[in-house]
Short mmCIF file of all heavy atoms in Angstrom, two decimals:
data_model
loop_
_atom_site.label_atom_id
_atom_site.label_comp_id
_atom_site.label_asym_id
_atom_site.label_seq_id
_atom_site.Cartn_x
_atom_site.Cartn_y
_atom_site.Cartn_z
N VAL A 153 -16.81 -11.78 12.84
CA VAL A 153 -15.81 -10.72 12.68
C VAL A 153 -15.40 -10.68 11.21
O VAL A 153 -15.59 -11.63 10.46
CB VAL A 153 -14.55 -10.97 13.55
CG1 VAL A 153 -14.89 -10.90 15.02
CG2 VAL A 153 -13.91 -12.30 13.20
N GLN A 154 -14.84 -9.53 10.80
CA GLN A 154 -14.29 -9.42 9.46
C GLN A 154 -12.90 -10.05 9.46
O GLN A 154 -12.08 -9.77 10.34
CB GLN A 154 -14.20 -7.96 9.03
CG GLN A 154 -15.56 -7.30 8.88
CD GLN A 154 -15.46 -5.85 8.51
OE1 GLN A 154 -14.40 -5.25 8.62
NE2 GLN A 154 -16.57 -5.27 8.07
N ASN A 155 -12.64 -10.89 8.48
CA ASN A 155 -11.39 -11.64 8.43
C ASN A 155 -10.56 -11.22 7.22
O ASN A 155 -11.10 -10.99 6.13
CB ASN A 155 -11.69 -13.14 8.34
CG ASN A 155 -12.59 -13.61 9.47
OD1 ASN A 155 -12.18 -13.65 10.61
ND2 ASN A 155 -13.83 -13.94 9.13
N PHE A 156 -9.25 -11.13 7.43
CA PHE A 156 -8.33 -10.74 6.37
C PHE A 156 -7.22 -11.78 6.32
O PHE A 156 -6.65 -12.16 7.34
CB PHE A 156 -7.76 -9.34 6.65
CG PHE A 156 -8.82 -8.29 6.79
CD1 PHE A 156 -9.32 -7.95 8.04
CD2 PHE A 156 -9.34 -7.66 5.67
CE1 PHE A 156 -10.31 -6.99 8.18
CE2 PHE A 156 -10.35 -6.71 5.81
CZ PHE A 156 -10.83 -6.37 7.06
N TYR A 157 -6.90 -12.20 5.10
CA TYR A 157 -5.98 -13.31 4.94
C TYR A 157 -4.79 -12.93 4.06
O TYR A 157 -4.94 -12.25 3.04
CB TYR A 157 -6.70 -14.50 4.28
CG TYR A 157 -7.97 -14.91 4.99
CD1 TYR A 157 -9.21 -14.57 4.46
CD2 TYR A 157 -7.93 -15.62 6.19
CE1 TYR A 157 -10.39 -14.93 5.11
CE2 TYR A 157 -9.10 -15.98 6.84
CZ TYR A 157 -10.32 -15.63 6.29
OH TYR A 157 -11.48 -15.99 6.94
N LEU A 158 -3.61 -13.37 4.49
CA LEU A 158 -2.40 -13.30 3.67
C LEU A 158 -1.96 -14.74 3.43
O LEU A 158 -1.72 -15.49 4.38
CB LEU A 158 -1.29 -12.53 4.40
CG LEU A 158 0.08 -12.50 3.72
CD1 LEU A 158 0.01 -11.71 2.41
CD2 LEU A 158 1.13 -11.91 4.65
N ILE A 159 -1.89 -15.13 2.16
CA ILE A 159 -1.56 -16.51 1.80
C ILE A 159 -0.23 -16.52 1.06
O ILE A 159 -0.07 -15.83 0.05
CB ILE A 159 -2.67 -17.15 0.94
CG1 ILE A 159 -3.99 -17.14 1.72
CG2 ILE A 159 -2.30 -18.57 0.55
CD1 ILE A 159 -5.19 -17.58 0.92
N HIS A 160 0.72 -17.27 1.57
CA HIS A 160 2.05 -17.39 0.96
C HIS A 160 2.20 -18.80 0.41
O HIS A 160 2.04 -19.78 1.14
CB HIS A 160 3.12 -17.11 2.02
CG HIS A 160 4.52 -17.21 1.50
ND1 HIS A 160 5.60 -17.35 2.33
CD2 HIS A 160 5.01 -17.20 0.24
CE1 HIS A 160 6.71 -17.42 1.61
NE2 HIS A 160 6.38 -17.33 0.33
N LEU A 161 2.49 -18.88 -0.88
CA LEU A 161 2.64 -20.17 -1.55
C LEU A 161 4.08 -20.34 -2.03
O LEU A 161 4.64 -19.43 -2.66
CB LEU A 161 1.71 -20.26 -2.77
CG LEU A 161 0.21 -20.08 -2.54
CD1 LEU A 161 -0.51 -20.04 -3.87
CD2 LEU A 161 -0.34 -21.19 -1.68
N GLU A 162 4.66 -21.48 -1.75
CA GLU A 162 5.96 -21.84 -2.28
C GLU A 162 5.85 -23.22 -2.94
O GLU A 162 5.31 -24.15 -2.35
CB GLU A 162 7.03 -21.90 -1.20
CG GLU A 162 7.53 -20.56 -0.73
CD GLU A 162 8.68 -20.71 0.25
OE1 GLU A 162 8.84 -21.80 0.83
OE2 GLU A 162 9.42 -19.73 0.42
N ILE A 163 6.37 -23.33 -4.16
CA ILE A 163 6.48 -24.62 -4.83
C ILE A 163 7.95 -24.96 -4.94
O ILE A 163 8.76 -24.14 -5.40
CB ILE A 163 5.86 -24.57 -6.25
CG1 ILE A 163 4.45 -23.96 -6.19
CG2 ILE A 163 5.83 -25.97 -6.85
CD1 ILE A 163 3.47 -24.72 -5.36
N LEU A 164 8.31 -26.17 -4.51
CA LEU A 164 9.69 -26.60 -4.55
C LEU A 164 9.83 -27.85 -5.41
O LEU A 164 8.95 -28.72 -5.42
CB LEU A 164 10.23 -26.89 -3.15
CG LEU A 164 10.32 -25.71 -2.18
CD1 LEU A 164 9.04 -25.57 -1.38
CD2 LEU A 164 11.51 -25.86 -1.26
N LYS A 165 10.94 -27.92 -6.12
CA LYS A 165 11.29 -29.10 -6.92
C LYS A 165 12.73 -29.46 -6.61
O LYS A 165 13.64 -28.64 -6.81
CB LYS A 165 11.12 -28.80 -8.41
CG LYS A 165 11.52 -29.94 -9.33
CD LYS A 165 10.52 -31.08 -9.32
CE LYS A 165 10.84 -32.12 -10.38
NZ LYS A 165 9.88 -33.23 -10.40
N ASP A 166 12.94 -30.64 -6.05
CA ASP A 166 14.28 -31.08 -5.64
C ASP A 166 14.91 -30.07 -4.68
O ASP A 166 16.11 -29.77 -4.76
CB ASP A 166 15.18 -31.28 -6.86
CG ASP A 166 14.65 -32.36 -7.79
OD1 ASP A 166 14.07 -33.35 -7.28
OD2 ASP A 166 14.81 -32.22 -9.02
N GLY A 167 14.08 -29.53 -3.80
CA GLY A 167 14.58 -28.60 -2.79
C GLY A 167 14.77 -27.18 -3.26
O GLY A 167 15.17 -26.31 -2.47
N VAL A 168 14.49 -26.89 -4.53
CA VAL A 168 14.67 -25.55 -5.09
C VAL A 168 13.31 -24.90 -5.29
O VAL A 168 12.39 -25.52 -5.85
CB VAL A 168 15.42 -25.61 -6.44
CG1 VAL A 168 15.55 -24.22 -7.05
CG2 VAL A 168 16.79 -26.24 -6.25
#
Side-chain angles (χ1 to χ4, degrees):
V153 295
Q154 294 178 345
N155 305 291
F156 303 94
Y157 307 103
L158 174 67
I159 301 173
H160 180 198
L161 302 173
E162 283 185 341
I163 310 299
L164 296 91
K165 177 73 172 181
D166 298 325
V168 177

